[in-house]
C-alpha cells in the first residue's frame, strides 16, 4: 500500500477512534516506511549470519586487514556487491581477496562465494599444508607436495628450516641457510635439496 493511502487511513482513524488508534496507526506507518526504506537502500543483501563487517559495491576500497567473504551479483543496483570483514582464523574469502602477511590459504571451495570460489585463511605455522598459489611466509620452507590437495588445486607443506630438511625446488631459502645436495625423488618426484647452515 502506498504511504499516501496510509495517511488517509490515519486521518480517518483520528476522527473515528481518537488518539489511541492514531498512535497505533502511526507506529504501523513508521514500521512500513522504515522497512521500505531499508529494503530500498540495502540493495547489497542481508548481512551473512554471525559476521561483523560491511557490504561494499564492486571496486570499493577494502579496509586494511579485512577480507572479502561474500558476493551478491544483484547488489549495488546490479553492479554487484562484496561483503568485507576483518581477517580471522579459518575465514573463507572470495577469490581475489587480499591475503595479508603471515596468512596462508589452506582449503579451496569452487562453489564458495556464490560460485566465485573461496579460500580458507589460516595463520602460518610449522607443519601446515597450503594451497597452490598461497603465499610462502618469510622464514618458512616448502618440503612436500600433494597433487590432489586443496580440492584438486594442489597443496604444499610448509615447515620451519632445520639442518638436513629436504626442500622442494620452489622453496625459498631463508637467510642463514643454503640448499645443498639434490635428491631427484624428493617432494613427490619434483626433486629436492637438503638444507644446511650457510
Amino acid at each position: 500500500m502506498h504511504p499516501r493511502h496510509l495517511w488517509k487511513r490515519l486521518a480517518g482513524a483520528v476522527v473515528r477512534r481518537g488518539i489511541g488508534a492514531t498512535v497505533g496507526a502511526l507506529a504501523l506507518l513508521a514500521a512500513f516506511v522504515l522497512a521500505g526504506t531499508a529494503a530500498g537502500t540495502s540493495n547489497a543483501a542481508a548481512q551473512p549470519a554471525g559476521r561483523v563487517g560491511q557490504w561494499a559495491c564492486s571496486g570499493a576500497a577494502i579496509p586494511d586487514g579485512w577480507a572479502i567473504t561474500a558476493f551478491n551479483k544483484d547488489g549495488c543496483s546490479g553492479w554487484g556487491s562484496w561483503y568485507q570483514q576483518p581477517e580471522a582464523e579459518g575465514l573463507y574469502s572470495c577469490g581475489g581477496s587480499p591475503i595479508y602477511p603471515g596468512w596462508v590459504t589452506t582449503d579451496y571451495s569452487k562453489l564458495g562465494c556464490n560460485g566465485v570460489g573461496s579460500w580458507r585463511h589460516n595463520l602460518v605455522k610449522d607443519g601446515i599444508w597450503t594451497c597452490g598459489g598461497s603465499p610462502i611466509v618469510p622464514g618458512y620452507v616448502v618440503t612436500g607436495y600433494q597433487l590432489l590437495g586443496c580440492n584438486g588445486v594442489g597443496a604444499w607443506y610448509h615447515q620451519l628450516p632445520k639442518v638436513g630438511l629436504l626442500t622442494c625446488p620452489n622453496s625459498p631459502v631463508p637467510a642463514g641457510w643454503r640448499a645443498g645436495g639434490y635428491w631427484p625423488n624428493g617432494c613427490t618426484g619434483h626433486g629436492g635439496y637438503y638444507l644446511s647452515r650457510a
Side-chain angles (χ1 to χ4, degrees), residues 6-20:
L6 285 175
W7 282 117
K8 285 182 181 179
R9 286 192 179 191
L10 176 61
V14 170
V15 172
R16 288 189 308 274
R17 297 188 184 133
I19 287 290

Side-chain angles (χ1 to χ4, degrees), residues 72-160:
N72 174 20
K73 65 180 177 59
D74 299 318
C76 292
S77 301
W79 290 98
S81 58
W82 301 88
Y83 194 70
Q84 304 172 345
Q85 67 182 107
E87 181 71 271
E89 185 76 10
L91 188 77
Y92 275 84
S93 73
C94 300
S97 177
I99 302 171
Y100 296 97
W103 293 83
V104 291
T105 58
T106 58
D107 190 28
Y108 173 67
S109 169
K110 68 178 179 179
L111 300 177
C113 211
N114 288 334
V116 174
S118 61
W119 302 87
R120 180 184 167 104
H121 289 208
N122 288 97
L123 283 168
V124 70
K125 63 181 179 183
D126 191 23
I128 193 169
W129 284 98
T130 67
C131 298
S134 175
I136 300 173
V137 175
Y140 282 80
V141 292
V142 177
T143 61
Y145 175 69
Q146 290 180 344
L147 178 64
L148 300 178
C150 220
N151 287 318
V153 174
W156 299 91
Y157 195 63
H158 288 217
Q159 288 184 274
L160 289 169

Side-chain angles (χ1 to χ4, degrees), residues 13-52:
V14 170
V15 172
R16 288 189 308 274
R17 297 188 184 133
I19 287 290
T22 302
V23 170
L26 278 173
L28 177 63
L29 178 63
F32 175 80
V33 170
L34 289 175
T37 302
T41 57
S42 178
N43 199 12
Q47 175 175 319
R51 295 184 176 170
V52 177

